[in-house]
Each structure stands twice: as structure tokens, then as C-alpha cells.
Amino acid sequence: MLQIAFPHRNADLDAFGAFRERVRNFLNADPAAREPRADCWSQFDAAFSRRLAEAGFLGLTWPKKYGGGERSSLERFILLEELLAAGAPVGAHWISERQVGPLLLRYGTEAQRAEFLPRIARAELFFCIGLSEPDSGSDLASLRTAAVATPEGWRVRGRKVWTSNAHRNHYMVLLCRTDPQSQRHAGLSQLIVDMESPGLTLRPIPNMSGEHEFNEVTFDDVLVPHDRVVGTVGNGWEQVTSELAFERSGPERFMSSFILLRHLTKTAHTLPAEKLGLLTARLLGLRALSVSVAAMLNDGKLPNLEAALVKELGSRLEQDVGEVLLDGLESAPDPGSADTMNRLIAQTLLHAPSYSIRGGAREILRGIIARGLGLR
């Protein structure tokens, strides 16, 4: 296993070391962490998420009155890093804890925080995010799903695609157009939608490995109560972009394939030293950048440019890891293989095409980086 020192800012190393040890002890004792998977943060296991919650590992940075632990963003980074390094199935709570919680803490009403945050921290309910649409591609601002205000609530019509685990989640945070005269970034709002709502239907979209993770979600006059608006009506674009630093900057953006490198050190798999060294150097650089973003988030900042850099460079690394290790196999990788290395490489290669799309397509991210650096 690669041994990497943890960068810190004015932090107590002993306290961080004790916390990391606590996380490792939990994982060593948990049965779900004994069969590692590549891209584990897309693997849905509600029971594992509940055990994490019982150990106090969900909502780690949130206020205690909402079920949180009031710990630092750097400690949360340690938690995520250890979960990903172990290949633990964290997909059930991932979106809820990573994005929805911070969104509600920043923009939600007190009633919304009191209703949803403690239940997310206990892994009692899970959220998905309704962003992409069939005809929008990566141009999210062109979305057409619309919500019309009526006396009884908002009536929603439209479609969302590539919605991860929508068939397993309890609620969706939906980005939709609430001003019919608006265009592009204006007139958008976020609504909390009950996934059991009448008029809401799901169509499975199998991925390359045949797994049912993605869905198309259709809204046919779905009623959403007025008190389910998040933040301010018409301010949806600003609110969505505020989530990007949380979505794009974490270690999951460069550690989806890390379990392969970890397993490599325990096997006789041959890999030229220069290739392993290059992958390791890239990993260390990304890790340092990601930790710095965690420190900025801990200070209440929204480092969207830095987060875009982590996402873009991390996606490239994740895809390269599987390709490099593929050279050392004597037969084609098989996701059902009894050989762990063979199975992990197959999982990585099957999921790898999505790495440069999810969380923002490569071209979009490069545009954000260029604008942030004043290049366009």
C-alpha cells in the first residue's frame, strides 16, 4: 500500500492521526470493506452507510443540532480518503452528504434543515440530483424542465437523465426553470422532490457493465409543495454553482482507481518503475491540491476554480491507471474474475469512460479553468 503523509495547516497531527486510526479500525472490522471495488463511491449499500452513521462518520462537519459532528473539513478529507482507499461501498449516502447537506446548510430554511439533515446524518434517507437533460448535454443552462406556480404548489413537467441511483433514493434536488420567460442562467430554481410523487416515472439506463445505476426521470405534472423550494426562487444557478467546490474537489476525483495501485503493492503484477513512479507523482500532486481545497472550504470559501482543476486532472489520472495496468495482464480483464487484480482492472475500464463526464464534462471544466486564469 502506498504510504502518503497527510498535509495539514496549523493542525494537530496527533489528533488527525488518532482520527485516521479510528476510521481504519472501523473499516478493518466491517464486512463490506473486505471485498474492495474500483469506483466504490458509485456502489450503493444502504446498510454500510447506516453503520457509518452509527459510528458518527456522516455529516462530520455539520452542526451537532442537525446530527453532525462539528469536525473540520480536513478530518472529513481523511475519512473520505480512507473509505476510497479501502474500496468501501459508499454510494448510498454520497450525494446526500457531499452536496445536499452543504446546500441546505447554506440556502435551506430552518424547517428544511431540521427535517432532512438529521435523517441524512443517520443514513435514513438518500438524495439524488436532477441536473442533466436529454437535449442539453453539458450545456446545463439550456435546460427545459419547467415548474409552474399554482395555489397548491409547483407543477413540474420535463425530463432528467443520467440520474444516479434515482430508483433507490427518497428525494431529488431538482434544478428547473420557474420563470417561463427566462433564458439561460436566469429564472432557474431548486426544488426538493419526493421520489414517490404521483406523475414521476423512472426508466433504467444500464451502464457499460450492465449495472443499473443511471436513470431517466420523467415529470408529468408532478406537484411539489411551496415549502420545498431551496433558497430563493430564480437563484438556482448561483446555488448550483456553489455546490461545485464540494462536488469536484474531493479525493473521489482521483481515487476511483486507487484501489488498483494499492492492490498492486501486494501482488506479483509487474509494472515498470517509471510508470508506477509517474502515476504516484501525479497522485501526490492531486492530493496536495485537493487538501488545499478542503482547507479553503473549511475557511468558508468557495474555490470553484481550484475544484475544477482537481476534477479535470483527477479524471485523466483515474482513466490512465487502468490503461497502464492493462499492459501487464496475460488475458482480457473480467469483472467476474476470482483474481482480484483482474476484476479491479475490468471494473475500472468499464467505468472509466464516465470519469471525464460526471461532475462536468472535460470541455466545460477546461473553459472554467481558462476563464479563472484570465485566458478567455
Side-chain angles (χ1 to χ4, degrees):
M1 178 178 180
L2 296 175
Q3 299 296 317
I4 306 172
F6 184 72
H8 63 287
R9 282 184 22 175
N10 302 320
D12 186 327
L13 277 180
D14 290 337
F16 279 177
F19 181 73
R20 187 183 292 277
E21 191 65 24
R22 179 183 159 207
V23 176
R24 288 182 176 177
N25 289 339
F26 170 86
L27 290 170
N28 288 336
D30 194 276
R34 294 173 189 159
E35 186 177 348
R37 290 185 60 94
D39 197 29
C40 66
W41 60 279
S42 68
Q43 303 304 313
F44 194 101
D45 187 334
F48 178 73
S49 293
R50 284 191 290 271
R51 293 194 294 274
L52 273 178
E54 290 168 0
F57 290 139
L58 296 190
L60 198 65
T61 63
W62 304 352
K64 290 183 178 179
K65 70 175 182 176
Y66 300 128
E70 296 187 2
R71 308 293 288 260
S72 72
S73 293
L74 294 175
E75 287 169 293
R76 183 176 179 273
F77 186 97
I78 291 174
L79 171 65
L80 301 187
E81 188 172 54
E82 292 296 329
L83 291 169
L84 295 166
V90 294
H93 67 270
W94 200 259
I95 297 296
S96 310
E97 203 267 354
R98 181 183 70 179
Q99 288 168 254
V100 177
L103 174 71
L104 295 181
L105 284 169
R106 186 175 180 88
Y107 295 105
T109 64
E110 183 58 32
Q112 289 170 350
R113 294 178 192 135
E115 177 180 0
F116 293 111
L117 293 180
R119 296 172 68 193
I120 292 173
R122 294 193 297 266
E124 292 178 357
L125 61 81
F126 307 117
F127 276 78
C128 55
I129 301 292
L131 294 177
S132 299
E133 296 193 359
D135 299 319
S136 294
S138 295
D139 184 15
L140 182 60
S142 68
L143 66 84
R144 295 187 294 183
T145 295
V148 178
T150 68
E152 65 271 21
W154 295 90
R155 291 285 179 179
V156 181
R157 298 186 68 86
R159 286 189 298 163
K160 296 291 179 178
V161 291
W162 313 119
T163 310
S164 298
N165 291 314
H167 57 301
R168 296 169 170 143
N169 295 133
H170 304 94
Y171 290 92
M172 171 189 287
V173 174
L174 170 73
L175 182 66
C176 57
R177 195 166 296 282
T178 49
D179 179 356
Q181 305 304 316
S182 67
Q183 294 183 356
R184 304 296 298 168
H185 308 90
L188 302 178
S189 304
Q190 289 180 296
L191 307 179
I192 298 174
V193 181
D194 189 329
M195 295 301 289
E196 296 294 328
S197 299
L200 188 154
T201 57
L202 300 175
R203 181 179 68 84
I205 303 176
N207 62 21
M208 288 179 63
S209 62
E211 299 169 317
H212 177 195
E213 177 189 354
F214 302 118
N215 299 268
E216 179 182 74
V217 185
T218 301
F219 303 86
D220 186 7
D221 204 31
V222 173
L223 178 64
V224 179
H226 288 295
D227 63 2
R228 289 298 195 245
V229 174
V230 179
T232 304
V233 173
N235 194 48
W237 186 262
E238 178 181 327
Q239 294 171 196
V240 164
T241 54
S242 76
E243 301 172 38
L244 296 180
F246 295 95
E247 180 184 1
R248 292 173 172 168
S249 66
E252 69 273 19
R253 293 305 179 186
F254 55 89
M255 288 186 67
S256 295
S257 307
F258 178 84
I259 192 68
L260 282 171
L261 293 177
R262 179 182 182 185
H263 191 71
L264 178 65
T265 65
K266 300 179 180 180
T267 69
H269 188 281
T270 58
L271 183 68
E274 64 272 18
K275 290 187 177 181
L276 179 59
L278 179 58
L279 292 174
T280 303
R282 291 168 63 187
L283 176 69
L284 288 169
L286 278 162
R287 186 175 185 275
L289 179 58
S290 184
V291 170
S292 72
V293 175
M296 295 171 76
L297 292 172
N298 197 58
D299 293 340
K301 301 175 183 178
L302 290 175
N304 290 332
L305 169 59
E306 293 83 353
L309 281 167
V310 174
K311 168 64 174 65
E312 160 60 1
L313 297 174
S315 296
R316 292 170 59 188
L317 172 65
E318 290 183 322
Q319 291 174 331
D320 288 349
V321 168
E323 293 292 340
V324 168
L325 295 181
L326 182 62
D327 294 339
L329 288 181
E330 297 179 355
S331 59
D334 176 9
S337 174
D339 177 71
T340 302
M341 176 64 78
N342 190 298
R343 174 171 55 82
L344 290 174
I345 292 177
Q347 290 170 358
T348 296
L349 293 175
L350 287 170
H351 286 263
S354 71
Y355 295 166
S356 55
I357 301 172
R358 62 187 187 187
R362 178 160 290 158
E363 294 76 11
I364 299 298
L365 290 166
R366 290 178 177 177
I368 292 171
I369 295 167
R371 286 191 296 272
L373 296 176
L375 301 178
R376 54 180 292 187

